[in-house]
C-alpha cells in the first residue's frame, strides 16, 4: 500500500509539473492578431453605400441602401454573430465618421462597441471624440503591422472601400467575411478595385439565406497555384 501511495503521489507530481510546463509554454506562444474584412458586395463586386441612400453618393452613385430588400432575420443573425466578437475596429476616415455619429448613442444594438479600440486611418483627421479612438497617419501600413503583433483581439474592417485597397495591396488582410447579394449595380466602389494582389484564399464557412444572399468566409492561404488542365 505504501509503495502504491508513493507511486500515486509521484505520478500526480509528475503530471502536475508536466501540465504546468505546458501552461508556461503556452504563455510564450504569441498569436498574431487577425485582420478581418467584413463586406456587403453585389454580384459585380460593388460595396458602396449598402446601408442607405445618403451613405455615400460620391461619383454619382444612386443605389444607396441596396441591401435593404434582402436583409431578413437570417442576415441579422449572421451580422449579430460576427459583430459579437468584441474585436477592435480598423476603419477608413469616412466609415469612421459615419460610425462615430451613430454608434456612441446606440450601444444597445452593438454591445461593447464604445469600449473596443477604434483605429482610424487618416491624414486629415486631427481630433476624434469617440471613446478609445486612435488615429493612424503616416506609414499606416507599418503601424498596422505593428498593431497585429501586439496583444489584443482581432481587428475588424467594416465599410472603408478606399482603405481596403491599401490593406489588400499590402497583403495585410487575413480573412474575408463576405455577404454576396443577388444583384448587379453596374458602377460604384468595388471590394477588389485597385488594391488586389495575386493571393490564394480558402473557404472556411458558407451559408445561403432564404433571400439568396451567400454568406462566405475566406482565409488567406498562401500563394496562387497554377497548372495545366487535363494533365
Amino acid at each position: 500500500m505504501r509503495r502504491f501511495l508513493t507511486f500515486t503521489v509521484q505520478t500526480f507530481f509528475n503530471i502536475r509539473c508536466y501540465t504546468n510546463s505546458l501552461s508556461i509554454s503556452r504563455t510564450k506562444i504569441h498569436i498574431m492578431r487577425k485582420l478581418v474584412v467584413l463586406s456587403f458586395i453585389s454580384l459585380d463586386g460593388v460595396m458602396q453605400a449598402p446601408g442607405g441612400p445618403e451613405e455615400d453618393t460620391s461619383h454619382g452613385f444612386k443605389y444607396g441602401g441596396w441591401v435593404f430588400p434582402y436583409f431578413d432575420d437570417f442576415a441579422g443573425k449572421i451580422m449579430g454573430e460576427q459583430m459579437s466578437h468584441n474585436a477592435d475596429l480598423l476603419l477608413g476616415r469616412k466609415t469612421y465618421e459615419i460610425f462615430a455619429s451613430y454608434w456612441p448613442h446606440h450601444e444597445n444594438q452593438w454591445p461593447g462597441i464604445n469600449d473596443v479600440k477604434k483605429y482610424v486611418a487618416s491624414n486629415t483627421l486631427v481630433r476624434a471624440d469617440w471613446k478609445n479612438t486612435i488615429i493612424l497617419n503616416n506609414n499606416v501600413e507599418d503601424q498596422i503591422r505593428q498593431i497585429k503583433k501586439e496583444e489584443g483581439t482581432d481587428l475588424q474592417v467594416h465599410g472603408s472601400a478606399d482603405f481596403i485597397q491599401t490593406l489588400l495591396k499590402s497583403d495585410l488582410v487575413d480573412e474575408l467575411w463576405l455577404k454576396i447579394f443577388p444583384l448587379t449595380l453596374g458602377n460604384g466602389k468595388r471590394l477588389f478595385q485597385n488594391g488586389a494582389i495575386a493571393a490564394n484564399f480558402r473557404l472556411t464557412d458558407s451559408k445561403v439565406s432564404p433571400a439568396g444572399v451567400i454568406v462566405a468566409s475566406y482565409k488567406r492561404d498562401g500563394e496562387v497555384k497554377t497548372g495545366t488542365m487535363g494533365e
Side-chain angles (χ1 to χ4, degrees):
M1 175 65 71
R2 181 178 299 174
R3 180 179 299 177
F4 173 75
L5 288 175
T6 301
F7 172 79
T8 303
V9 170
Q10 185 62 44
T11 301
F12 174 77
F13 177 77
N14 290 340
I15 292 174
R16 184 173 181 180
C17 289
Y18 176 69
T19 304
N20 287 341
S21 69
L22 284 179
S23 177
I24 292 170
S25 297
R26 280 196 293 267
T27 62
K28 293 180 179 179
I29 298 174
H30 178 63
I31 300 174
M32 291 272 287
R33 303 169 73 177
K34 292 185 297 184
L35 194 157
V36 183
V37 169
L38 298 85
S39 292
F40 301 119
I41 62 172
S42 65
L43 290 175
D44 55 343
V46 175
M47 61 175 294
Q48 185 169 349
E54 305 302 321
E55 182 180 343
D56 183 359
T57 59
S58 61
H59 307 293
F61 189 74
K62 58 182 180 180
Y63 298 111
W66 49 271
V67 304
F68 176 76
Y70 306 95
F71 213 87
D72 51 17
D73 290 341
F74 179 94
K77 181 180 178 182
I78 293 293
M79 285 305 300
E81 291 172 353
Q82 294 184 349
M83 294 163 66
S84 67
H85 290 254
N86 290 324
D88 289 341
L89 301 184
L90 176 61
L91 308 171
R93 180 184 59 80
K94 290 182 180 178
T95 299
Y96 171 83
E97 290 177 342
I98 293 171
F99 276 32
S101 68
Y102 182 84
W103 287 115
H105 316 292
H106 298 84
E107 187 176 10
N108 62 308
Q109 299 176 26
W110 192 348
I113 183 61
N114 289 324
D115 295 323
V116 301
K117 291 180 181 177
K118 277 76 67 174
Y119 298 95
V120 52
S122 174
N123 289 321
T124 58
L125 192 66
V126 294
R127 175 180 172 180
D129 296 325
W130 194 8
K131 180 181 176 183
N132 292 334
T133 292
I134 300 170
I135 300 173
L136 306 178
N137 53 34
N138 299 321
N139 300 318
V140 170
E141 298 93 327
D142 290 339
Q143 291 186 67
I144 294 172
R145 289 189 182 93
Q146 182 57 43
I147 291 169
K148 290 179 69 175
K149 294 177 183 178
E150 296 171 355
E151 295 286 344
T153 63
D154 289 340
L155 303 163
Q156 287 191 354
V157 181
H158 297 260
S160 309
D162 295 330
F163 178 46
I164 286 174
Q165 307 311 308
T166 299
L167 298 175
L168 290 170
K169 190 180 298 183
S170 302
D171 201 11
L172 288 166
V173 176
D174 298 298
E175 296 189 17
L176 298 165
W177 294 358
L178 306 181
K179 273 67 68 178
I180 306 166
F181 289 75
L183 80 166
T184 57
L185 294 168
N187 64 359
K189 297 177 181 177
R190 285 173 162 76
L191 175 60
F192 300 106
Q193 185 105 14
N194 301 313
I197 61 171
N200 204 49
F201 285 84
R202 173 169 51 87
L203 182 69
T204 58
D205 187 35
S206 64
K207 302 179 180 69
V208 181
S209 80
V213 178
I214 299 172
V215 180
S217 297
Y218 297 89
K219 184 176 182 180
R220 187 73 167 81
D221 191 29
E223 305 305 317
V224 172
K225 302 173 180 65
T226 64
T228 301
M229 295 292 292
E231 292 188 356

